[in-house]
Amino acid sequence: MNTRVHTISEPAQTARSIFDLLGGEPGVRALVDRFYDLMDMEDDLKELRAAHGPSLDEARDKLFWFLCGYFGGPDHYIQRFGHPRLRARHLPFSIGEAERDQWVACMGRALQDAGTEPALVDRLLESFYGVADWMRNRAG
Ligand code: HEM
């Protein structure tokens, strides 16, 4: 089991090449759009969808800005909002095991649909799992 402590300010290893490998800003935008399209559409992601408001437009922009920096590209999110403080920013939403697992599954499908190399998908999902698990704020 992976016991490393994940903090959102810790850049992913070889982050710059991850941003490039994913196709820079157009690639990350397409990934995020696919992520929210899937969340909106797939029956087994409905608890995750229900935790969001009626519109996903703001979430799309914010996750795009955040992931550009997280993958080692431009820090669009920090420039607009300062430190991500993701755990604190997610406290208004109920996050348990189902929401954590659905977020990671949704991202896995979006990465696969983008044609991302399987080894990179595994590595990114491991890292996202750590972050999503740390954001749980509800038992069960
Ligand atoms: C690794 C996992 C995750 C990452 C990297 C992530 C990232 C983000 C970011 C960057 C924002 C924008 C924060 C802001 O400025 O307000 C956000 C918003 C949000 N996240 Fe997450 N998140 C993750 C997991 C989750 C999970 C598991 C849930 C389940 C409930 C969730 C629900 C939401 C909701 C409801 C919003 C507000 C969207 C809006 O503005 O309309 N997130 N997330």
Side-chain angles (χ1 to χ4, degrees), residues 1-126:
M1 189 179 149
N2 185 352
T3 53
R4 257 185 335 129
V5 174
H6 292 260
T7 68
I8 203 67
S9 56
E10 170 191 297
Q13 282 170 344
T14 61
R16 185 148 303 280
S17 66
I18 291 175
F19 179 73
D20 292 339
L21 282 170
L22 294 175
E25 289 194 8
V28 176
R29 183 88 233 185
L31 174 71
V32 167
D33 278 337
R34 183 68 183 150
F35 174 85
Y36 285 109
D37 287 348
L38 287 166
M39 191 193 292
D40 221 6
M41 173 162 100
E42 306 271 290
D43 208 45
D44 62 346
L45 303 175
K46 60 179 185 298
E47 283 84 4
L48 179 63
R49 179 63 188 86
H52 291 70
S55 167
L56 296 172
D57 292 349
E58 200 175 321
R60 281 178 199 263
D61 282 343
K62 286 180 165 177
L63 187 60
F64 166 67
W65 290 326
F66 173 79
L67 287 181
C68 282
Y70 186 71
F71 291 143
D75 270 332
H76 295 308
Y77 184 93
I78 290 175
Q79 279 163 18
R80 286 169 175 80
F81 307 110
H83 191 284
R85 298 186 300 108
L86 277 196
R87 192 168 196 287
R89 288 192 209 263
H90 282 77
L91 287 177
F93 317 116
S94 177
I95 304 184
E97 288 172 5
E99 289 80 4
R100 171 198 67 194
D101 291 345
Q102 289 178 19
W103 198 102
V104 175
C106 190
M107 183 55 74
R109 287 175 210 172
L111 283 164
Q112 265 170 9
D113 291 350
T116 313
E117 192 206 330
L120 180 57
V121 175
D122 287 351
R123 199 167 133 210
L124 292 176
L125 291 188
E126 192 188 328

